[in-house]
Amino acid sequence: MTISVRLFPAFALLGSALFVSSVWAADAPKVSSQQLAPQLYLVKGSGGNIAALLGKDGALVIDAQFAATAPLVKSELDRLQSGISVNTLVNTHFHKDHTDGNAALAGGARIIAHQAVLTRLQSDAKFNQAGLPTETFSGEKTLNLNGQQVLLRTMPVSHTDGDLVVWFQAQNVLHMGDLFFADRFPFIDLSSGGSVAGYIANTKTILSQVNDTTKIIPGHGDLMDKAGLQRFLAMMEQTLVEVQAMKAQGLSADQAVAKGLSAQWKKWSWN
């Protein structure tokens, strides 16, 4: 498994999470929304996908994208429900394209995350401390907001060592953060506790818990369903087989990189 991580972006793009953040940060900020259910929206912009549950308790927002995009996100939320403010923010993990906007979007509000997210953001001298999580947990946490029950569940090490997923249970909508990249290779942050085996295992776990009508919000890309997540898992498993075959043939890491994956996976590459 280790050699497969070294070889291919199908399992990990080596380098810092800031490199990945810069891919989306370079895009001109533009924000749009898609209604998934009454009160519940997918908000897309420059960075990781946002979910927003609106209502009398204010906005519950999942992930915050970049600080520069926060005014546009606020404007979009206000367009959807006039005068609304972000009262609760959940971070699916610590990467900049999901947390940089914390302070600008929800400074002074309730911010919830895995304990590892708080630890990593506290150690980042460039992170706006006004956006640090105010509550951390491990396991499960239930929120009752805007007449809805929302389940937060931390996951074993996978994309990073501080991932969680968010279930909007009544609406059968799941936000997976960067445990899911829609129809593209995943980024697994090995330098921050990420695990290839854990990533695949978590994908299988989630697949056992969703059904054919579940709407799945990936960390990046378009809204997906169970079939899309199954396709994602099949890609990871099949490319792993290719890597293992090259390893069995005695190819070095450089030789395997030069040979590359079979042509069918070219469309999964995103940089």
Side-chain angles (χ1 to χ4, degrees):
M1 187 72 74
T2 301
I3 197 164
S4 70
V5 173
R6 292 175 55 211
L7 298 184
F8 297 113
F11 298 104
L13 296 176
L14 302 184
S16 72
L18 293 179
F19 168 76
V20 173
S21 299
S22 72
V23 173
W24 288 283
D27 295 338
K30 185 170 69 172
V31 170
S32 62
S33 62
Q34 174 183 355
Q35 186 167 16
L36 306 182
Q39 302 176 264
L40 182 60
Y41 298 84
L42 164 61
V43 180
K44 296 172 70 73
S46 180
N49 286 332
I50 288 174
L53 180 66
L54 311 183
K56 61 181 179 61
D57 298 320
L60 163 63
V61 171
I62 314 302
D63 283 339
Q65 299 187 351
F66 292 101
T69 315
L72 298 177
V73 173
K74 284 184 174 182
S75 293
E76 182 65 13
L77 295 177
D78 188 69
R79 185 185 72 81
L80 296 171
Q81 182 176 321
S82 180
I84 198 165
S85 59
V86 178
N87 291 342
T88 304
L89 170 66
V90 176
N91 290 140
T92 60
H93 61 291
F94 82 96
H95 284 155
K96 184 176 181 179
D97 55 318
H98 297 258
T99 62
D100 187 56
N102 279 14
L105 192 62
R110 182 187 190 189
I111 302 177
I112 306 171
H114 191 293
Q115 173 61 41
V117 172
L118 175 60
T119 300
R120 293 192 178 278
L121 293 180
Q122 283 177 323
S123 66
D124 181 358
K126 295 182 179 180
F127 186 78
N128 188 333
Q129 301 294 288
L132 287 174
T134 60
E135 299 178 28
T136 62
F137 75 103
S138 180
E140 293 187 352
K141 185 179 186 71
T142 301
L143 305 178
N144 290 286
L145 294 167
N146 296 326
Q148 302 294 333
Q149 190 172 79
V150 183
L151 176 65
L152 315 181
R153 179 180 295 142
T154 60
M155 301 296 288
V157 293
S158 181
H159 175 62
T160 68
D161 59 3
D163 301 301
L164 63 79
V165 298
V166 182
W167 287 91
F168 297 91
Q169 295 179 299
Q171 298 93 335
N172 195 21
V173 174
L174 172 65
H175 193 316
M176 288 185 64
D178 281 2
L179 297 187
F180 187 15
F181 286 68
D183 287 331
R184 64 189 75 179
F185 291 136
F187 167 62
I188 300 175
D189 191 351
L190 304 179
S191 65
S192 301
S195 164
V196 176
Y199 202 106
I200 293 174
N202 280 343
T203 304
K204 291 179 177 179
T205 296
I206 295 297
L207 274 170
S208 72
Q209 298 170 347
V210 299
N211 57 44
D212 291 340
T213 62
T214 304
K215 296 177 181 177
I216 305 176
I217 301 172
H220 299 275
D222 295 331
L223 185 69
M224 288 279 120
D225 56 12
K226 183 176 183 178
L229 188 58
Q230 288 172 323
R231 187 165 60 246
F232 183 66
L233 175 62
M235 175 275 297
M236 290 191 289
E237 291 182 324
Q238 291 172 40
T239 52
L240 177 58
V241 169
E242 291 190 22
V243 173
Q244 290 173 330
M246 285 186 273
K247 182 180 177 182
Q249 293 165 13
L251 271 65
S252 69
D254 288 343
Q255 289 171 330
V257 168
K259 180 177 180 179
L261 294 167
S262 56
Q264 65 178 308
W265 307 117
K266 185 176 182 180
K267 64 181 180 181
W268 289 79
S269 181
W270 49 267
N271 69 39

